C-alpha cells in the first residue's frame, strides 16, 4: 500500500481521526465531533466556554472506581529548543515564582473536594514546558503540598518531565521524598552535533556524565526522549547515540523523527535559506529502522509506537490511562484532560473549556490506544467497533500483512508490527479508522 506522507506522532493520528469524524458529522447534518480541545473549531470553543457546567461542579462529583490520573502543566522553559514553538514561555525567576504560588493555591483549593478525596490517584504526570525549572525553594514548597493534598494509590506512577541541567541534587531529594518515581528527561541526543543543533545545554560528554550522576542519585525509572533525522545527522551520529544508550543502560526511550514547528528557530533558519535541510520519508525510514532494530538487539521491546523499554523497567501507565478513557484531572495553564467523562482544557487561570462526553469519540480513542501499542488483533478491534464484522477487519489486516507491515504471531492470533510497520504505525491507524468510519456511513 502507498503512503502519502508520514504521520509522526499520536497527535497527528488524533487530529486525522477528529477530522474524519467531523466530516462524517457534516455529511449527516450533525454537529462537529472533536476528540481533543487543542483541535477544537472556534465554534465549538465558544460553545464549550459558554457551557454552564463549571470545573468546580465536576470536582463536587464522586468518580467511579476506575484507575485515574492527574496531569499538571507548567508552561515554562529556561531554554527553548530550536525546533519548538509549543505553548511555553521563557522563564524568569519572577514569573516562575508567581506560577508556583498559583499552583499552591490550586492544590489547596481542590484538596478537600469530593472528587479529589473520594479515592487515590494511580498516575501523576507533570509536563510542560519543563516542570523541573522551578527553583529549589519553590519545589520544596509545592511538592510536599501536592503529596499532602492527594492520596496516592499503592504502586502509583509519578512522572516529572525535565532537562538535564536543572535537575539539582536538592530537587532529586525532594522528588524522592514526595513519591516521584519516574523521570522523563529530554536528552534528544548524546552527541555534540545533535545537542548543538537541537538547542540543548552542554556537549555530549557533559550530558553523559550528568545522566550517570542522576541515575546514581534517583532510585526510580529514568526515561529519555531521543530525536533522529535532525539537520546534519549522519549514520555515525546515530550509531554513537545507540552506543551511548547501551553503555548507560537506560530504562526506556521515546524516539521521534524531528518535527519542526512553524515559527521555531530551525523553521525560520530553513525558510530563510540559512540552513539546508531536505528530509525524505525514505531517509527517515532508514534512520528509524536502524535505531529500532539496534534497540531490539539490545533487549528492548516495543511498548508503543514511539517508545521502547527494557522489560519490567517502565510501564508508562500515564499513556494507558489516556487511551482507556479514564479520568485525567488537568491542572495548570494549558492543561487538558478528562473529568467525569467531560473533556476539560484550562486555557489559562481564568478560562476553562468543558466539553460533554462523546461516546463515538471515546470508542475511537480506545481503538487508537490499541493500535498505538501495536496490537492488531481482528477480534479485539471488532469488539471495540459496532456494526462491523470480523471479516471486514481481517481483510484490512491481511492487506497490511501482504505489504510487509504486519506479521502474524503464533501466540494469540494477533499480528505484530514489523520495523516498517512501526515506522508507518500512525498512518496504519488512520487508514484503518478512516475505512471503518466510511463503512459505517
Amino acid at each position: 500500500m502507498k503512503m502519502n506522507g508520514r504521520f509522526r506522532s499520536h497527535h497527528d493520528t488524533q487530529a486525522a481521526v477528529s477530522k474524519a469524524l467531523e466530516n462524517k458529522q457534516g455529511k449527516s447534518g450533525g454537529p462537529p465531533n472533536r476528540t481533543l480541545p487543542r483541535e477544537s473549531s472556534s465554534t465549538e470553543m465558544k460553545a464549550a466556554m459558554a457551557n454552564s457546567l463549571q470545573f468546580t461542579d465536576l470536582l463536587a462529583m464522586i468518580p467511579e472506581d476506575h484507575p485515574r490520573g492527574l496531569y499538571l502543566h507548567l508552561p515554562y522553559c529556561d531554554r527553548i529548543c530550536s525546533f519548538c514553538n509549543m505553548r511555553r514561555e521563557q522563564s524568569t525567576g519572577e514569573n516562575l515564582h508567581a506560577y508556583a504560588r498559583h499552583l499552591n493555591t490550586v492544590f489547596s483549593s481542590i484538596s478537600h473536594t469530593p472528587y479529589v478525596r473520594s479515592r487515590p490517584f494511580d498516575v501523576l504526570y507533570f509536563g510542560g514546558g519543563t516542570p523541573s525549572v522551578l527553583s529549589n525553594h519553590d519545589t520544596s514548597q509545592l511538592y510536599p503540598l501536592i503529596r499532602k493534598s492527594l492520596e496516592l494509590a499503592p504502586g502509583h506512577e509519578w512522572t516529572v518531565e525535565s532537562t538535564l541541567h536543572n535537575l539539582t541534587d536538592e530537587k532529586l531529594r525532594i522528588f524522592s521524598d514526595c513519591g516521584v518515581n519516574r523521570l522523563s528527561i529530554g536528552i534528544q541526543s548524546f552527541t555534540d552535533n545533535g545537542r548543538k543543533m537541537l538547542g540543548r545545554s552542554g556537549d555530549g560528554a557533559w550530558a553523559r556524565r550528568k545522566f550517570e550522576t542522576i541515575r546514581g542519585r534517583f532510585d526510580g525509572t529514568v526515561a529519555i526522549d531521543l530525536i533522529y533525522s535532525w539537520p546534519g545527522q549522519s549514520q555515525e551520529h546515530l550509531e554513537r547515540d545507540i552506543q551511548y544508550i547501551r553503555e548507560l543502560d537506560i530504562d526506556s526511550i521515546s524516539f521521534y523523527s524531528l518535527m519542526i514547528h512553524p515559527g521555531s528557530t530551525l523553521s525560520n533558519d530553513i525558510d530563510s535559506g540559512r540552513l539546508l535541510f531536505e528530509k525524505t520519508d525514505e531517509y527517515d525510514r532508514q534512520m528509524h529502522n536502524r535505531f529500532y532494530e539496534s534497540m531490539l538487539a539490545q533487549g528492548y521491546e516495543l511498548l508503543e509506537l514511539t517508545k521502547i523499554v527494557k522489560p519490567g523497567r517502565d510501564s508508562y501507565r500515564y499513556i494507558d490511562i489516556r487511551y482507556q478513557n479514564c479520568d485525567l484531572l488537568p491542572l495548570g495553564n494549558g492543561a487538558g484532560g478528562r473529568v467525569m467523562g467531560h473533556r476539560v482544557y484550562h486555557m489559562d487561570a481564568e478560562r476553562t473549556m468543558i466539553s460533554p462526553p462523546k461516546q463515538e469519540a471515546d470508542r475511537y480513542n480506545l481503538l487508537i490506544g490499541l493500535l498505538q501499542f501495536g496490537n492488531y488483533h481482528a477480534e479485539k478491534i471488532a469488539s471495540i467497533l459496532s456494526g462491523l464484522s470480523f471479516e471486514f477487519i481481517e481483510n484490512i489486516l491481511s492487506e497490511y500483512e501482504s505489504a510487509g507491515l504486519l506479521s502474524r504471531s503464533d501466540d494469540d492470533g494477533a499480528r505484530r508490527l514489523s520495523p516498517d510497520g512501526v515506522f508507518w504505525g500512525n498512518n496504519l491507524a488512520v487508514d484503518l479508522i478512516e475505512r471503518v468510519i466510511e463503512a459505517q456511513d
Side-chain angles (χ1 to χ4, degrees):
M1 60 183 298
K2 186 177 180 180
M3 303 292 185
N4 296 315
R6 183 185 176 214
F7 294 126
R8 289 183 168 84
S9 78
H10 67 275
H11 296 300
D12 295 334
T13 303
Q14 290 169 319
V17 171
S18 292
K19 183 177 180 179
L21 286 172
E22 185 177 64
N23 290 339
K24 175 185 175 182
Q25 292 291 334
K27 290 178 182 178
S28 65
N33 191 338
R34 294 284 190 167
T35 59
L36 289 177
R38 60 176 288 171
E39 297 146 8
S40 294
S41 65
S42 60
T43 300
E44 187 186 10
M45 182 179 293
K46 290 177 182 177
M49 291 177 65
N51 192 328
S52 60
L53 186 68
Q54 301 295 314
F55 186 54
T56 52
D57 296 331
L58 295 177
L59 296 183
M61 301 178 187
I62 304 294
E64 295 182 5
D65 189 17
H66 297 307
R68 63 173 181 165
L70 181 149
Y71 175 78
L72 177 70
H73 192 72
L74 194 145
Y76 295 99
C77 295
D78 57 357
R79 182 166 183 167
I80 306 297
C81 299
S82 62
F83 52 88
C84 182
N85 76 340
M86 298 180 72
R87 185 184 169 89
R88 56 204 64 186
E89 301 175 31
Q90 188 88 33
S91 61
T92 65
E94 183 178 347
N95 62 15
L96 276 179
H97 184 56
Y99 191 70
R101 291 200 309 271
H102 166 65
L103 294 180
N104 289 341
T105 301
V106 168
F107 277 98
S108 296
S109 67
I110 70 165
S111 61
H112 297 294
T113 61
Y115 180 87
V116 169
R117 302 311 303 172
S118 62
R119 57 182 310 277
F121 285 84
D122 301 272
V123 170
L124 276 65
Y125 195 97
F126 290 8
T130 310
S132 60
V133 77
L134 292 176
S135 69
N136 286 350
H137 172 76
D138 285 334
T139 301
S140 71
Q141 298 295 308
L142 177 61
Y143 281 73
L145 175 61
I146 293 171
R147 188 66 185 87
K148 180 181 178 182
S149 301
L150 307 174
E151 182 182 358
L152 302 182
H156 73 274
E157 176 186 278
W158 184 348
T159 301
V160 175
E161 290 183 353
S162 181
T163 57
L164 285 171
H165 66 274
N166 50 39
L167 274 178
T168 65
D169 290 350
E170 177 65 10
K171 289 177 188 175
L172 290 172
R173 183 191 64 76
I174 295 169
F175 291 168
S176 297
D177 288 348
C178 292
V180 175
N181 53 18
R182 187 176 182 274
L183 297 176
S184 179
I185 304 178
I187 299 291
Q188 318 313 358
S189 178
F190 284 108
T191 67
D192 294 347
N193 301 65
R195 296 190 66 77
K196 182 177 180 181
M197 177 60 66
L198 300 172
R200 312 309 290 162
S201 298
D203 61 14
W206 174 86
R208 298 191 294 277
R209 290 194 304 270
K210 180 67 173 178
F211 182 89
E212 288 181 317
T213 299
I214 293 168
R215 191 57 186 264
R217 295 174 183 172
F218 181 76
D219 187 21
T221 298
V222 183
I224 71 165
D225 289 350
L226 192 94
I227 289 177
Y228 62 91
S229 296
W230 38 266
Q233 185 184 29
S234 66
Q235 189 72 29
E236 181 183 353
H237 292 135
L238 182 66
E239 295 297 336
R240 271 189 268 160
D241 269 331
I242 291 170
Q243 172 192 340
Y244 298 142
I245 288 171
R246 179 175 62 250
E247 293 173 353
L248 294 169
D249 191 30
I250 296 171
D251 295 325
S252 72
I253 303 109
S254 293
F255 61 114
Y256 306 99
S257 171
L258 177 63
M259 292 175 280
I260 302 175
H261 300 282
S264 66
T265 300
L266 277 182
S267 176
N268 293 336
D269 286 347
I270 293 169
D271 290 344
S272 67
R274 291 191 297 270
L275 177 66
L276 181 64
F277 184 47
E278 298 178 356
K279 181 169 67 170
T280 65
D281 284 339
E282 177 56 24
Y283 167 78
D284 220 20
R285 185 188 69 84
Q286 292 177 10
M287 299 294 275
H288 170 280
N289 286 6
R290 173 56 187 158
F291 179 80
Y292 177 59
E293 291 172 330
S294 296
M295 293 298 99
L296 294 182
Q298 291 187 30
Y300 287 87
E301 61 186 18
L302 184 72
L303 178 65
E304 53 113 4
L305 290 179
T306 54
K307 180 172 282 293
I308 50 176
V309 301
K310 280 288 182 74
R313 287 169 53 176
D314 188 8
S315 58
Y316 194 31
R317 294 170 59 200
Y318 164 71
I319 200 71
D320 196 42
I321 287 279
R322 289 183 53 184
Y323 283 124
Q324 289 300 315
N325 293 326
C326 298
D327 271 17
L328 184 68
L329 176 64
L331 297 174
N333 299 350
R338 180 186 180 100
V339 182
M340 302 300 296
H342 292 72
R343 300 199 179 259
V344 178
Y345 178 61
H346 298 299
M347 301 176 70
D348 51 40
E350 304 298 330
R351 297 177 297 166
T352 295
M353 291 171 50
I354 300 177
S355 301
K358 296 177 180 176
Q359 193 173 44
E360 186 176 39
D362 286 349
R363 182 166 66 249
Y364 285 111
N365 189 56
L366 284 173
L367 181 54
I368 291 173
L370 184 69
L371 303 181
Q372 281 287 317
F373 286 97
N375 295 318
Y376 281 75
H377 194 297
E379 288 185 359
K380 291 181 180 179
I381 294 172
S383 70
I384 293 175
L385 303 170
S386 59
L388 291 176
S389 66
F390 168 85
E391 289 74 19
F392 176 84
I393 302 298
E394 179 66 22
N395 288 338
I396 297 176
L397 301 193
S398 295
E399 180 183 332
Y400 298 160
E401 186 176 354
S402 297
L405 303 172
L406 296 177
S407 60
R408 196 179 294 270
S409 171
D410 294 331
D411 297 333
D412 56 6
R415 291 175 172 87
R416 307 301 180 197
L417 291 167
S418 66
D420 277 352
V422 176
F423 177 77
W424 291 109
N426 286 302
N427 291 66
L428 290 185
V430 171
D431 180 73
L432 174 60
I433 293 173
E434 285 181 341
R435 293 198 203 186
V436 166
I437 291 173
E438 183 178 355
Q440 290 180 328
D441 277 349

